[in-house]
Amino acid sequence: MSKTIPVQKNDYIQVEFEDLTHDGAGVAKVDGYPIFVHGALPGEKANIKVIKVNKGFGIGRLAELLERSHFRVDIAKEDSHKYGGCQLQHISYEGQLAFKENQVRQVLTRIGKLEDVKVHPVLGMEHPWHYRNKAQVPVGEKDGKLISGFFKPRSHEIIETDESLIQLPEVDGAIQMVKEICSELGVKAYNEETHKGDLRHIMARYGKETGELMVVMITRTPDFPNKNKIVAEIVKRIPKVKSIVHNINSKRTNVILGDKVKVLWGSEVIYDYIGDVKFAISALSFYQVNPDQTKVLYDKTLEYAGLAGNETVIDAYCGIGTISLFLAQKAKKVYGVEIVQEAIEDAKRNAELNDITNADFAVGKAEEVIPKWYEQGIKADVLVVDPPRKGCDEALLQTIIEMKPHKVVYVSCNPATLARDLRILEDGGYKTLEVQPVDMFPQTTHVECVALIELR
Ligand code: SAH
């Protein structure tokens, strides 16, 4: 039975918002029919224009705000609110943390069917701006000069911006400088439509504790004009630079990095510290982008692991071994597994760098390597997983259920897949005791969580 939709495209209507979607849009209901409006907050009344009418939901645009939420604050930068990933800029930080806590709760109940899990208030930042240690920005051209900024959604158009609200100034500064140098020395921007030109993206990564900077130029072609001169200028004009890397991505794709990496100048890695542990980080390796909150996240992970010193620990999706080495200080033995070869090389180097001798690392898929370890008799007392957004592979979860480590600590950057995977573990004999959200990404809709799970 099809219900009639109570609104039409281009209608102007007055609504009251009652909720936020996971991507930060306000939700209002007209006779039960939900309409999503970006920039609107729960508790607010507004006149909206209906701009799209789908079967199950509509989309509207704010026309006039009639009643403001006490969580609403002025937007510092319109373009980054719209395009730059700072979708929660219009919400006070207190409001952002409340939104994230609520989202975690809702998802655990709705997707995970977990009713009685303790969800703690989100651990937030004291100063929730300019925290990111890494950025990769697309490069375009305007009036014969290189520009950088954000891609306008669903287009090849670049919205020019030279300062971000969430990146560390060293990162922003380096990107601007590399862009200027390349522009002066005649480098052409890559054009997505024609698949011509050279420079696609500029990436910068900064070790906040060491002051070391890496810049990466990502080009379509193996060579680009004035390469040596550009390198010399970067060294001259960016004093903190320790590593200049060239990454070649010749494919027609929106994936940013290619897999060919050449060090043009300096070291192949930069270093950083989290707590007392020193890390080498290379261009293609994953490294958490919010160094201050990473410490908070790893401390919580270590606390949940509750190590006494005689445990065997597996760290699945270990990246450059960050969590593994944190845990190794308190465990008998740690095994880390990760799919990116370069990251495992970093992990081994990082163990050496910190004189940690009780950590072993393997390259491969967690869902293939861990079952093999299990066959060989390697059995974890505590197992940590920190998968990418899509969550754990089902085969890995089944291995965990068979192996029966008494604790699983799940670090997750996506509450929806966390909830899905927790349900599988619950059905396999585990119980989720508590979930601690940590705000790794202020101003954005992203939420990070650590969950403590025990064998029943
Ligand atoms: N624990 C690390 C990295 C977490 S990010 C840290 O805190 O820094 C997730 C990592 O999982 C990435 O390094 C990614 O390369 C890796 N990865 C993705 N799919 C994988 C798989 N199937 N098996 C093992 N590692 C995988």
Side-chain angles (χ1 to χ4, degrees):
M1 196 181 79
S2 75
K3 237 180 117 184
T4 49
I5 294 169
V7 295
Q8 283 186 343
K9 192 174 164 171
N10 296 330
D11 279 356
Y12 279 85
I13 52 173
Q14 188 180 323
V15 294
E16 189 168 340
F17 293 92
E18 47 192 75
D19 205 354
L20 277 175
T21 62
H22 68 95
D23 62 348
V27 185
K29 284 190 178 151
V30 179
D31 299 337
Y33 177 80
I35 303 180
F36 304 136
V37 179
H38 269 284
L41 296 177
E44 293 188 330
K45 274 192 190 144
N47 284 323
I48 62 163
K49 181 180 183 187
V50 178
I51 54 175
K52 202 162 179 201
V53 176
N54 298 319
K55 222 174 173 186
F57 65 93
I59 298 194
R61 192 186 298 132
L62 268 184
E64 187 192 4
L65 195 59
L66 302 171
E67 262 174 45
R68 274 171 79 100
S69 159
H70 63 280
F71 283 139
R72 178 175 289 280
V73 290
D74 292 336
I75 288 169
K77 273 177 85 80
E78 191 67 45
D79 53 0
S80 61
H81 189 238
K82 270 198 185 131
Y83 316 112
C86 296
Q87 309 93 331
L88 300 190
Q89 241 189 96
H90 61 301
I91 311 180
S92 67
Y93 193 51
E94 189 199 349
Q96 293 182 20
L97 296 180
F99 159 67
K100 291 184 184 188
E101 181 184 333
N102 185 37
Q103 200 207 325
V104 172
R105 264 179 222 290
Q106 280 191 13
V107 162
L108 289 177
T109 320
R110 185 167 48 85
I111 301 177
K113 307 277 180 268
L114 297 160
E115 301 294 344
D116 54 353
V117 177
K118 197 193 289 167
V119 177
H120 296 283
V122 183
L123 296 171
M125 292 186 84
E126 209 164 303
H127 182 72
W129 306 97
H130 299 290
Y131 57 85
R132 281 186 66 104
N133 60 10
K134 174 186 149 176
Q136 33 196 23
V137 301
V139 177
E141 253 173 58
K142 199 170 128 192
D143 307 328
K145 274 193 167 168
L146 296 182
I147 58 164
S148 62
F150 317 115
F151 275 122
K152 200 171 169 176
R154 292 172 296 280
S155 86
H156 300 290
E157 192 188 330
I158 288 175
I159 312 282
E160 189 178 5
T161 34
D162 36 25
E163 191 215 351
S164 147
L165 292 167
I166 53 174
Q167 277 147 223
L168 286 166
E170 288 81 1
V171 171
D172 265 341
I175 287 175
Q176 290 315 310
M177 189 55 85
V178 172
K179 180 190 72 182
E180 262 172 58
I181 293 168
C182 288
S183 205
E184 284 167 25
L185 289 168
V187 175
K188 293 275 164 235
Y190 173 68
N191 181 317
E192 284 202 326
E193 273 162 89
T194 60
H195 196 54
K196 295 221 166 80
D198 306 308
L199 189 59
R200 300 173 73 126
H201 280 79
I202 301 168
M203 172 174 142
R205 194 177 236 175
Y206 183 58
K208 201 180 165 204
E209 296 302 318
T210 56
E212 297 187 354
L213 193 65
M214 171 185 277
V215 300
V216 184
M217 287 173 279
I218 300 130
T219 68
R220 178 183 63 90
T221 43
D223 234 322
F224 55 91
N226 288 319
K227 192 158 78 185
N228 296 340
K229 268 193 199 156
I230 289 171
V231 169
E233 281 305 308
I234 293 175
V235 175
K236 196 159 87 190
R237 293 197 224 169
I238 309 178
K240 287 188 169 170
V241 79
K242 286 284 175 306
S243 165
I244 303 176
V245 174
H246 180 198
N247 179 275
I248 302 150
N249 182 356
S250 49
K251 293 193 187 131
R252 257 181 196 270
T253 167
N254 55 12
V255 174
I256 296 175
L257 290 164
D259 33 351
K260 278 201 207 96
V261 186
K262 280 196 247 171
V263 178
L264 298 180
W265 181 89
S267 165
E268 123 194 42
V269 296
I270 55 166
Y271 293 95
D272 198 20
Y273 283 90
I274 303 168
D276 300 330
V277 191
K278 188 177 186 182
F279 294 103
I281 311 150
S282 51
L284 294 185
S285 296
F286 176 89
Y287 183 63
Q288 290 284 359
V289 295
N290 184 333
D292 297 346
Q293 291 296 88
T294 299
K295 174 77 170 55
V296 175
L297 182 75
Y298 290 175
D299 280 344
K300 197 37 99 178
T301 307
L302 192 60
E303 182 196 316
Y304 279 176
L307 301 172
N310 51 1
E311 295 89 349
T312 300
V313 181
I314 291 179
D315 180 17
Y317 309 90
C318 72
I320 61 172
T322 40
I323 295 177
S324 321
L325 298 181
F326 244 64
L327 297 167
Q329 298 170 305
K330 300 269 156 83
K332 187 170 89 191
K333 177 88 194 186
V334 177
Y335 295 90
V337 54
E338 153 68 43
I339 204 168
V340 174
Q341 164 96 31
E342 251 203 336
I344 286 295
E345 282 161 24
D346 288 352
K348 288 181 179 164
R349 174 167 13 200
N350 289 332
E352 258 174 53
L353 205 59
N354 294 283
D355 294 322
I356 293 174
T357 51
N358 59 337
D360 273 359
F361 294 99
V363 183
K365 290 185 179 168
E367 61 271 24
E368 291 172 4
V369 172
I370 294 174
K372 271 194 209 127
W373 281 345
Y374 186 46
E375 275 169 29
Q376 292 161 12
I378 298 171
K379 191 176 167 305
D381 302 301
V382 178
L383 198 143
V384 178
V385 297
D386 182 7
R389 290 189 63 76
K390 68 172 193 253
C392 291
D393 193 277
E394 171 109 35
L396 174 62
L397 297 170
Q398 290 312 333
T399 304
I400 295 175
I401 290 167
E402 270 174 53
M403 186 191 278
K404 298 195 174 40
H406 67 261
K407 264 187 196 172
V408 177
V409 182
Y410 194 135
V411 183
S412 157
C413 57
N414 182 350
T417 53
L418 170 68
R420 179 200 68 198
D421 293 350
L422 288 179
R423 172 49 39 216
I424 296 173
L425 291 173
E426 293 259 338
D427 293 344
Y430 280 87
K431 169 123 191 82
T432 308
L433 299 185
E434 48 187 301
V435 176
Q436 175 64 66
V438 178
D439 195 19
M440 302 289 282
F441 315 102
Q443 315 307 326
T444 80
T445 53
H446 296 285
V447 197
E448 187 91 13
C449 290
V450 198
L452 171 61
I453 305 132
E454 277 185 4
L455 200 58
R456 274 182 210 271

